[in-house]
Every structure is written in structure tokens, then in C-alpha cells.
Amino acid sequence: MSFYCMPSLLSLSLDTLTKPSSCFPLTEFTTLPPNLKDPLRQVFLKRGLSGPQLRTLLHPRVTELDLSDSLVTAELLSAVKSCTNLRKLNLNTSFSYLKKVQAKTQATSPPDSFQVADILSTNCHLGTLYLRNLSCVTDSVLSCLPSSVTHLDLGGCSSVTDSGVDQLVSHCPQLASLSLARTRVTDKGVAKLGEGECRETLKEIRLDGCKSITDIGIEELLAGVGRSGSSVLEILIFHKCPRVTDRSRQVLEQFLMEAGGAVRQLTWTVY
């Protein structure tokens, strides 16, 4: 015997409003209650939203925002500023998407570091923050990171330097995963990760594409995270670092024997 579950009026209404063929203007959603804005926002964000469109679907109780399918502009971040209870914010932008929207960016205002810093300063419970490929993320922005951040992606943030690593190490003592891939970080910044309190909580570190890192940085990082004789580090990635040699491989082998029992993924390139 088979049973048919009649969809609710709410489900039917949401399906109708989110159909690609729907001509219903998003500006009409401003007065909707939060329980209706949330499912609508999830659908429309997959298609990409502008700042004014996103603003109509936000409310004070929003805790998660994934804007990775939208063009991150000053207008978009201006809308995000109204959210002060975020636990997860994804502003990642892929290389392929950057190429697709290159023509559009000429007609829009890019985001600036002050906007990102303002968002971080007003969200003191933020735990997951993805900022990949945002050129406006600078060292000064990282000084606004709340201590609650445990997962941080700064891959491709080309303005981040060792000074920024100092900031995130001091502000985020409970970091569990960190990507500094393709940043301007040097050995000094990498060594700082092995000195800060977060060395005891970091499970994932990505340093791929950091052109200034040498064997010294890798050695000091591993010495720091393995200082107690054991380490929670599970993932370490440092391929495409042209100044790393076979010496790092030897140091890595030593680390695995002495303190790397938790490691389950490693990728590196020696030159």
C-alpha cells in the first residue's frame, strides 16, 4: 500500500516563488517573517544576489550566510552589516567565478577592508569565516577577528603578511583549521603558529602556494605544534612552495615519528 503526502500550502507557495520563471520582485519580501525569509534566502543565494536583493531577505536572527555564489561587492557587504549574530560567514570566491564576473566588476564598487572589519567587529560569536580570494582582506582586518573563530580561510588573500598572522594568533586561541595558501606569509609568520596558544588546537594548516616559506618555517612550525610530545594536527598542506627542499621532508618524517600520530593527510613539494 502506498501513501501520498499532500504538500503544505507553505511548501507550494515557496516552490512557486522560487521558480526561475517567477516574476515576483524580491523587494516584496521585506515584510515577510524570518521563518519565510530563511528558506527563500537559501534558494536565491544559490543563484547569486545583489546587495539590495539580499537586504530584503535578512533579519536580525540570521546565524549563517553563504555568499560564495554572489559577486562580493561593497553593496553586498553593506547588506551583511545588518547581521550581528552570525556564527558562519562564507565570502569565498573561486577563480572561475572571478573570471566570469570580471566584466561586471567594472560597473560595481569592490568591497573595502573597513567593511569587512566592521562586520567582524559586530559579530562576536562568529565561529567559521571563509574569505578566500578577497583582496580587501588586510592585516588590519585580522585585528578585528573575534576570539570565537575556529575555522578561518584566508587562501588567496594576497595582502595578508606575517603581521596578520600575529593578529590572528593572538585573537583566535582556539583555531582548529587555517588556510594561508597563496598569501605573503614568510617563515616568521609560520613559526608564529607554532608559538601561539592555537598550536594545541590546530588540526588543519594549509600553506600551499606561499612562495616565501622555506625549510626553516616548516621546521619551526612542526617543532611548535609537537612541543608537548603529541599533536592534534591532522592535515598539513605545503605544496607549491618553491623554496622548500628535501630538508623539510626529513623534518616531517621526524615529526611523524615523535608527535604526528593524528596526521591523516599530507601534501608537499620539494625543489
Side-chain angles (χ1 to χ4, degrees):
M1 180 181 295
S2 61
F3 296 91
Y4 175 72
C5 183
M6 181 69 71
S8 66
L9 179 59
L10 174 60
S11 297
L12 290 172
S13 299
L14 291 174
D15 288 342
T16 300
L17 290 173
T18 55
K19 284 182 178 178
S21 58
S22 174
C23 297
F24 199 83
L26 291 182
T27 52
E28 298 296 326
F29 296 151
T30 305
T31 58
L32 290 177
N35 66 308
L36 296 182
K37 286 187 175 184
D38 290 341
L40 288 170
R41 186 178 63 254
Q42 291 177 7
V43 173
F44 285 119
L45 277 176
K46 289 298 181 183
R47 304 173 189 172
L49 291 176
S50 65
Q53 291 172 330
L54 176 63
R55 187 174 285 108
T56 65
L57 294 170
L58 294 176
H59 58 82
R61 296 204 297 271
V62 172
T63 59
E64 293 189 11
L65 265 183
D66 184 350
L67 303 177
S68 57
D69 291 309
S70 299
L71 175 59
V72 179
T73 62
E75 198 174 44
L76 190 73
L77 292 190
S78 178
V80 177
K81 187 179 176 182
S82 64
C83 299
T84 57
N85 290 297
L86 291 173
R87 267 62 173 176
K88 181 176 182 178
L89 176 60
N90 186 350
L91 296 175
N92 278 355
T93 305
S94 66
F95 286 123
S96 59
Y97 188 71
L98 283 172
K99 292 179 181 179
K100 290 180 182 179
V101 300
Q102 189 172 10
K104 288 185 178 181
T105 57
Q106 297 175 357
T108 58
S109 299
D112 61 54
S113 58
F114 297 105
Q115 287 182 300
V116 180
D118 197 18
I119 291 171
L120 298 184
S121 299
T122 55
N123 284 276
C124 58
H125 301 295
L126 195 61
T128 301
L129 180 62
Y130 299 149
L131 302 171
R132 188 170 65 235
N133 295 327
L134 276 186
S135 58
C136 64
V137 175
T138 61
D139 295 336
S140 61
V141 168
L142 300 183
S143 67
C144 299
L145 286 170
S147 60
S148 54
V149 171
T150 56
H151 301 278
L152 180 60
D153 187 351
L154 298 172
C157 295
S158 55
S159 297
V160 172
T161 69
D162 294 335
S163 177
V165 177
D166 284 342
Q167 297 290 348
L168 67 89
V169 167
S170 61
H171 285 82
C172 307
Q174 300 299 315
L175 270 178
S177 67
L178 172 66
S179 174
L180 293 170
R182 305 183 312 282
T183 60
R184 292 166 53 198
V185 171
T186 70
D187 290 339
K188 181 180 177 181
V190 175
K192 193 70 177 181
L193 294 176
E195 298 171 2
E197 190 176 342
C198 63
R199 72 178 186 276
E200 299 178 357
T201 58
L202 273 170
K203 294 183 177 181
E204 178 178 358
I205 303 174
R206 296 187 61 108
L207 302 169
D208 46 300
C210 292
K211 299 185 182 303
S212 298
I213 292 176
T214 71
D215 297 323
I216 295 174
I218 299 300
E219 185 173 0
E220 293 187 1
L221 169 64
L222 294 177
V225 298
R227 186 175 304 168
S228 62
S230 64
S231 168
V232 298
L233 188 64
E234 298 178 356
I235 300 172
L236 176 60
I237 297 175
F238 59 99
H239 60 263
K240 295 184 179 180
C241 298
R243 300 181 67 185
V244 171
T245 71
D246 191 58
R247 175 182 166 187
S248 288
R249 181 188 60 79
Q250 297 170 8
V251 171
L252 184 57
E253 289 178 352
Q254 187 69 25
F255 168 78
L256 292 174
M257 289 188 293
E258 296 178 354
V263 174
R264 57 186 176 85
Q265 181 180 345
L266 290 168
T267 66
W268 72 91
T269 309
V270 294
Y271 293 83

